[in-house]
Amino acid sequence: MRRLGTGIGWRPEIADAVEGMPGIDWVEVVAENVCPGHLPESLRRLRERGVTVVPHGVSLGLGGADRPDEGRLTALAERAEALGSPLVTEHIAFVRAGGALTASPRLEAGHLLPVPRTRDALDVLCENVRIAQDALPVPLALENIAALFSWPDEELTEGQFLSELVERTGVRLLIDVANLHTNHVNRGEDPAEALAALPLEAIAYVHVAGGFERDGVWHDSHAHPVPRPVLAILTGLAARVAPPGVLLERDENFPGPGELERELDAIREAVTVGRAAESAVGGTAVKGAAAAGAGGVGVLAPPVAGARERVAVAETAVLSALVAGTPVPEGFDRVRMGVQARALAAKRAGVVAKVAPELPVILGAGYREAFLEYARQRPMRGGYRQDALDFAGHLLKLGRPGDAGTLRELREWWLDRSGPAPRKRGFADRVLRRLR
């Protein structure tokens, strides 16, 4: 696997800081946030300096019951080619459910949700991975995700699930040590056991991020400093194998460049300590871990038509409970499902405020409460931009907000964006709009 070194997640908010940081060997960008024909100048300059750029997808949903969407695969391939990337990465998750396989409305989560660790889900995932690999111009690596809830009656541990996935598809792994810590707190899973079962030779690189704990639940926020337990898991991983690359993720509450550099130094130190421990035992940890992940079921692909239908029913029931208020399926922790449902609604509110920043301005302090009330009643039926339009349309149907001026401004915003093209306005309309 190509050596990447130490990297950081590139975000527009810290683009200047990333360019000026010493010792940055590579960066990762959210694939859906860049356009191949219009790359940000900061990314262009980094590439000209020889900094590797890796696109990281969040919307493919390879763990879903449906075959991967051809359009999304094409878009991911285009970004890899435009960035000259050595690989692309995605997640072991589902992000939508419903549709033809269940004869029910399509539901969007707007977030990464855990797949059941069952034979059916593994069979579907493996076939979806093979489809994706055939469509992409560079190798694919998949990330283990953080989860707030567990599926009942799972048949495999995380280490077994990932090991068999690698053996059957040859896909590489993006190991997120922060997600291992999240699953330790939320689901009682031992990070050391997961690492011991992994096929370490398949690791493409490692994610490190921060989070916070509230009421016994760990939230993988990417908006807080990296805690010591996460760095300890990174050290444990480095004691087994030299990670080809390690990357710091930060998505919100960005600190100054100095603090980011200190976090990167702490990550380098954690890897150094782990490598020293590996040297002290003469490499036996690496051999033992590789052997632990060597078992499996072979490379023959089983038929998955029936498995797709069963996974579709199960995932649709879960997602419907989270976003449409239907009963929680039997065997799930209702409290944790409630936490997840509220987290999904809060994320929708936050992302809509970013993609349609005019809405919080128009609605003022009432934006968030109004959106959360809407989200409890209306599942997301498309992307976040469509969600913003649906939210505004929902308020207009209710005649809200009550203030006539605010209602008029909201109606104009919706009319400008709901059609195939912006409305044409006369000179007087434009002057009045600017004055308002």
Side-chain angles (χ1 to χ4, degrees), residues 81-107:
E81 291 174 337
L83 294 167
S85 306
L87 78 162
V88 297
T89 58
E90 248 287 354
H91 299 81
I92 301 170
F94 76 101
V95 296
R96 60 190 64 87
L101 284 172
T102 58
S104 63
R106 195 68 152 160
L107 297 172

Side-chain angles (χ1 to χ4, degrees), residues 16 24 94 106 130 163 170 174 192 194 286 289 301 308 316 321 338 344 348 354-355 362 365 396 410:
D16 292 341
I24 295 297
F94 76 101
R106 195 68 152 160
R130 294 188 193 97
S163 185
L174 192 181
V286 175
R308 284 192 185 280
T316 301
L344 291 179
R348 281 174 69 185
K354 289 181 179 179
V355 302
I362 294 171
L396 292 171
L410 181 64

Side-chain angles (χ1 to χ4, degrees), residues 341-354:
R342 292 189 292 275
L344 291 179
K347 180 176 181 179
R348 281 174 69 185
V351 177
V352 165
K354 289 181 179 179

Side-chain angles (χ1 to χ4, degrees), residues 318-378:
V318 166
L319 186 51
S320 181
L322 293 174
V323 303
T326 59
V328 174
E330 189 70 27
F332 284 85
D333 185 321
R334 284 174 168 73
V335 173
R336 288 295 174 89
M337 292 287 281
V339 172
Q340 181 71 83
R342 292 189 292 275
L344 291 179
K347 180 176 181 179
R348 281 174 69 185
V351 177
V352 165
K354 289 181 179 179
V355 302
E358 303 87 356
L359 289 178
V361 174
I362 294 171
L363 298 173
Y367 162 77
R368 187 172 178 83
E369 181 180 348
F371 188 92
L372 293 178
E373 179 185 347
Y374 153 80
R376 285 192 291 269
Q377 305 172 36
R378 301 295 181 91

Side-chain angles (χ1 to χ4, degrees), residues 54-360:
V54 174
H56 184 53
V58 297
S59 64
L60 197 52
L62 291 173
D66 291 322
R67 294 168 64 88
D69 180 78
E70 291 183 5
R72 295 179 191 276
L73 283 174
T74 299
L76 191 55
E78 289 173 348
R79 283 149 179 77
E81 291 174 337
L83 294 167
S85 306
L87 78 162
V88 297
T89 58
E90 248 287 354
H91 299 81
I92 301 170
F94 76 101
V95 296
R96 60 190 64 87
L101 284 172
T102 58
S104 63
R106 195 68 152 160
L107 297 172
E108 292 280 343
H111 188 66
L112 304 166
L113 296 176
V115 302
R117 294 178 194 149
T118 61
R119 293 291 175 186
D120 276 348
L122 181 60
D123 291 343
V124 171
L125 175 62
C126 286
E127 183 169 90
N128 286 349
V129 167
R130 294 188 193 97
I131 294 169
Q133 288 170 320
D134 289 342
L136 295 170
V138 293
L140 171 68
L142 295 181
E143 178 180 350
N144 59 302
I145 73 162
L148 289 175
F149 65 90
S150 299
W151 285 78
D153 303 322
E154 291 191 314
E155 300 166 341
L156 301 164
T157 66
E158 180 158 36
Q160 291 169 335
F161 194 87
L162 296 179
S163 185
E164 290 199 20
L165 172 66
V166 169
E167 184 172 357
R168 291 168 58 173
T169 66
V171 74
R172 292 181 169 93
L173 296 177
L174 192 181
I175 297 301
D176 191 314
V177 292
N179 291 348
L180 291 177
H181 174 67
T182 301
N183 294 341
H184 170 63
V185 176
N186 293 348
R187 306 205 287 189
E189 297 171 356
D190 187 344
E193 289 183 7
L195 291 177
L198 291 178
L200 299 179
E201 69 282 357
I203 294 178
Y205 60 88
V206 178
H207 271 174
V208 184
F212 65 95
E213 187 172 352
R214 178 185 296 154
D215 299 328
V217 176
W218 186 268
H219 297 267
D220 181 46
S221 67
H222 293 191
H224 296 78
V226 178
R228 296 306 307 177
V230 171
L231 292 174
I233 298 172
L234 176 61
T235 295
L237 173 61
R240 297 176 177 275
V241 67
V246 183
L247 180 127
L248 172 65
E249 285 189 296
R250 189 76 177 235
D251 293 328
E252 293 180 353
N253 298 335
F254 297 101
E259 184 174 338
L260 288 174
E261 290 175 20
R262 285 190 290 274
E263 290 214 50
L264 287 166
D265 288 340
I267 288 169
R268 293 186 185 98
E269 176 64 20
V271 173
T272 299
V273 171
R275 296 311 298 148
E278 189 274 341
S279 298
V281 297
T284 55
V286 175
K287 295 176 183 178
V297 297
V299 296
L300 294 178
V304 298
R308 284 192 185 280
E309 293 178 358
R310 291 187 291 272
V311 171
V313 170
E315 291 182 344
T316 301
V318 166
L319 186 51
S320 181
L322 293 174
V323 303
T326 59
V328 174
E330 189 70 27
F332 284 85
D333 185 321
R334 284 174 168 73
V335 173
R336 288 295 174 89
M337 292 287 281
V339 172
Q340 181 71 83
R342 292 189 292 275
L344 291 179
K347 180 176 181 179
R348 281 174 69 185
V351 177
V352 165
K354 289 181 179 179
V355 302
E358 303 87 356
L359 289 178

